[in-house]
C-alpha cells in the first residue's frame, strides 16, 4: 500500500486529470482510491513494479500540462502487502463531504468522514500515517 497526500493539489481539481488518474491506475491493475480536494489523498495497492510505473506515468504524462508548483505529491507510506490483503476491490475516485461554515475555502475535506471511510475499508491505521507523519 502506498499513501500519497498533497495539501497543494490543484492537479486533482480538473475532471480530465481525475479521470486519467483513475483510468491509468485501473490499467496498471492497482486498487485503492483518489480523493480530490484539500488535502488530496491517493491510496495505491498493487505490485511494487505496477505502482512505480503508475507513479512515473502520473508525474511525466498526466501532470505534463500542470504547472510545476502544483505537481507536488508527497509519498507518505509504503507497505508491502499480498493480493489477498488488499483493502479495495478496484481503483476509484471517492468524494468526501466538504466543511462548510465561515471558512473562506469551500473545498476543505471533512477528515472525520475520510477517517470513517478508511476504517470501514479495513485500513483505519492509514489515517494516522497520512496526517501524523
Amino acid at each position: 500500500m502506498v499513501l500519497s497526500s498533497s495539501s497543494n493539489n490543484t492537479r486533482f481539481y480538473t475532471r480530465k486529470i481525475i479521470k486519467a488518474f483513475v483510468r491509468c491506475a485501473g490499467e496498471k491493475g492497482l486498487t485503492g482510491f483518489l480523493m480530490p480536494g484539500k488535502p488530496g489523498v491517493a491510496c495505491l495497492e498493487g505490485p511494487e513494479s505496477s505502482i512505480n510505473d503508475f507513479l512515473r506515468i502520473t508525474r511525466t504524462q498526466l501532470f505534463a500540462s500542470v504547472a510545476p508548483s502544483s505537481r507536488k505529491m508527497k509519498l507518505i507510506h509504503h507497505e508491502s502487502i499480498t493480493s489477498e490483503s488488499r483493502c479495495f476491490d478496484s481503483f476509484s475516485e471517492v468524494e468526501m463531504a466538504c466543511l462548510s461554515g465561515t471558512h473562506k475555502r469551500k473545498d476543505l475535506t471533512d477528515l472525520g468522514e475520510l477517517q470513517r471511510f478508511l476504517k470501514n475499508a479495513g485500513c483505519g491505521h492509514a489515517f494516522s500515517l497520512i496526517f501524523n507523519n
Side-chain angles (χ1 to χ4, degrees):
M1 176 183 294
V2 172
L3 299 170
S4 173
S5 177
S6 175
S7 58
N8 181 21
N9 69 332
T10 54
R11 63 189 173 271
F12 292 138
Y13 287 144
T14 66
R15 295 301 319 158
K16 180 181 175 183
I17 290 178
I18 291 169
K19 285 181 180 183
F21 194 95
V22 172
R23 185 186 70 248
C24 184
E27 289 171 357
K28 296 295 175 191
L30 301 177
T31 57
F33 67 91
L34 169 65
M35 182 191 77
K38 193 163 187 76
V41 174
C43 172
L44 308 169
E45 298 177 312
E48 187 172 353
S49 60
S50 296
I51 290 173
N52 290 337
D53 193 34
F54 171 78
L55 292 173
R56 180 187 55 76
I57 291 169
T58 299
R59 290 177 172 145
T60 60
Q61 295 174 24
L62 295 183
F63 297 158
S65 63
V66 177
S69 62
S70 296
R71 292 184 199 170
K72 296 176 181 144
M73 182 187 298
K74 180 180 177 186
L75 296 180
I76 303 237
H77 179 71
H78 180 271
E79 172 183 336
S80 295
I81 62 172
T82 63
S83 294
E84 297 80 31
S85 63
R86 289 188 187 196
C87 296
F88 301 93
D89 296 327
S90 63
F91 193 91
S92 61
E93 174 190 2
V94 296
E95 295 183 25
M96 300 291 163
C98 291
L99 297 175
S100 59
T102 59
H103 198 279
K104 64 182 177 181
R105 293 195 59 103
K106 300 298 182 200
D107 60 349
L108 292 175
T109 302
D110 179 350
L111 296 180
E113 187 175 347
L114 174 61
Q115 189 173 27
R116 288 185 294 280
F117 170 78
L118 292 170
K119 184 177 179 183
N120 290 339
C123 55
H125 69 287
F127 187 84
S128 62
L129 294 171
I130 297 168
F131 296 105
N132 292 332
N133 199 0

